Amino acid sequence: AQSVTQLGSHVSVSEGALVLLRCNYSSSVPPYLFWYVQYPNQGLQLLLKYTSAATLVKGINGFEAEFKKSETSFHLTKPSAHMSDAAEYFCAVSGPGANSKLTFGKGITLSVRP
Amino acid sequence: KAGVTQTPRYLIKTRGQQVTLSCSPISGHRSVSWYQQTPGQGLQFLFEYFSETQRNKGNFPGRFSGRQFSNSRSEMNVSTLELGDSALYLCASRAEENQPQHFGDGTRLSIL
């Protein structure tokens, strides 16, 4: 079984500040990990993915995440927040194999203060 | 390349009715998954179809069903609608296993 924990439901940062969104996972098999972003009235957009290659993964819009097996974590970071980053962010885990389903965390709402 | 297309974008139904939602995947994608998103429960997996066969299923009652056609388009049906079925229903497609899923903008279903 797999699960994802995203601590806190809301993070607020100032424009230009570091963004750090935490994600911890639980998986009985080597995980595949994803971060998605959702803007109001839209579907989910893939930010980045980890599928057992490099542990530091770079995504779109300046985001990156580091897979740390020892900490079972996959935290999302961005050095400098922009107003357009305000959205809801979801971490998700799946296992290898065709029959593995994608399990999402509860999501974190990111607010960016001017 | 066109993205995942879901129709309609908005639906209003009353309790007891049934509804059918449609999803057209990205061209070449044979896997289609459906999710329910609500403020209380978050994103919950409904089912996945691959080459017209249901490959995986979440923990939803039998009122929720789906199917996939030979062109990979998928439909989801909910019968005997309940107030709690009000949600954003998202469809996602992917090319192969272990590839990321690509989402449509969803159908927002409101039950009165």
Side-chain angles (χ1 to χ4, degrees), chain B residues 70-91:
Chain B
S70 58
N71 61 358
S72 293
R73 190 177 70 85
S74 177
E75 287 182 347
M76 189 190 88
N77 185 75
V78 188
S79 62
T80 319
L81 287 165
E82 301 176 359
L83 292 178
D85 297 332
S86 293
L88 180 66
Y89 289 88
L90 292 165
C91 170

Side-chain angles (χ1 to χ4, degrees), chain A residues 51-104:
Chain A
T51 54
S52 75
T55 56
L56 182 61
V57 181
K58 293 188 183 298
I60 62 171
N61 301 337
F63 285 95
E64 64 180 36
E66 185 172 8
F67 172 70
K68 291 187 177 180
K69 184 178 179 180
S70 61
E71 298 177 8
T72 60
S73 69
F74 191 57
H75 302 331
L76 182 71
T77 60
K78 181 173 180 177
S80 177
H82 191 273
M83 296 296 290
S84 62
D85 294 327
E88 190 162 17
Y89 292 79
F90 294 90
C91 182
V93 63
S94 73
N99 291 333
S100 181
K101 65 179 185 180
L102 196 59
T103 301
F104 286 89

Side-chain angles (χ1 to χ4, degrees), chain A residues 26-48:
Chain A
S26 172
S27 178
S28 56
V29 296
Y32 292 161
L33 294 158
F34 308 86
W35 275 98
Y36 285 88
V37 62
Q38 185 177 33
Y39 298 99
N41 298 317
Q42 293 186 22
L44 277 68
Q45 180 183 3
L46 179 69
L47 279 176
L48 48 79

Side-chain angles (χ1 to χ4, degrees), chain B residues 21-112:
Chain B
L21 312 181
S22 181
C23 172
S24 292
I26 292 172
S27 178
H29 288 193
R30 292 193 293 166
S31 165
V32 174
S33 297
W34 289 89
Y35 297 84
Q36 181 195 67
Q37 186 178 24
T38 59
Q41 299 298 317
L43 279 154
Q44 293 186 284
F45 172 76
L46 281 156
F47 28 66
E48 179 188 13
Y49 285 86
F50 181 85
S51 293
E52 303 179 65
T53 301
Q54 189 179 86
R55 185 158 70 177
N56 216 334
K57 190 178 188 305
N59 296 323
F60 278 80
R63 300 187 295 109
F64 292 81
S65 63
R67 58 177 177 170
Q68 187 180 31
F69 302 96
S70 58
N71 61 358
S72 293
R73 190 177 70 85
S74 177
E75 287 182 347
M76 189 190 88
N77 185 75
V78 188
S79 62
T80 319
L81 287 165
E82 301 176 359
L83 292 178
D85 297 332
S86 293
L88 180 66
Y89 289 88
L90 292 165
C91 170
S93 73
R94 59 176 172 166
E96 302 170 356
E97 66 179 77
N98 305 328
Q99 291 299 308
Q101 297 191 14
H102 298 269
F103 286 80
D105 285 338
T107 294
R108 185 164 296 282
L109 175 63
S110 300
I111 312 301
L112 303 179

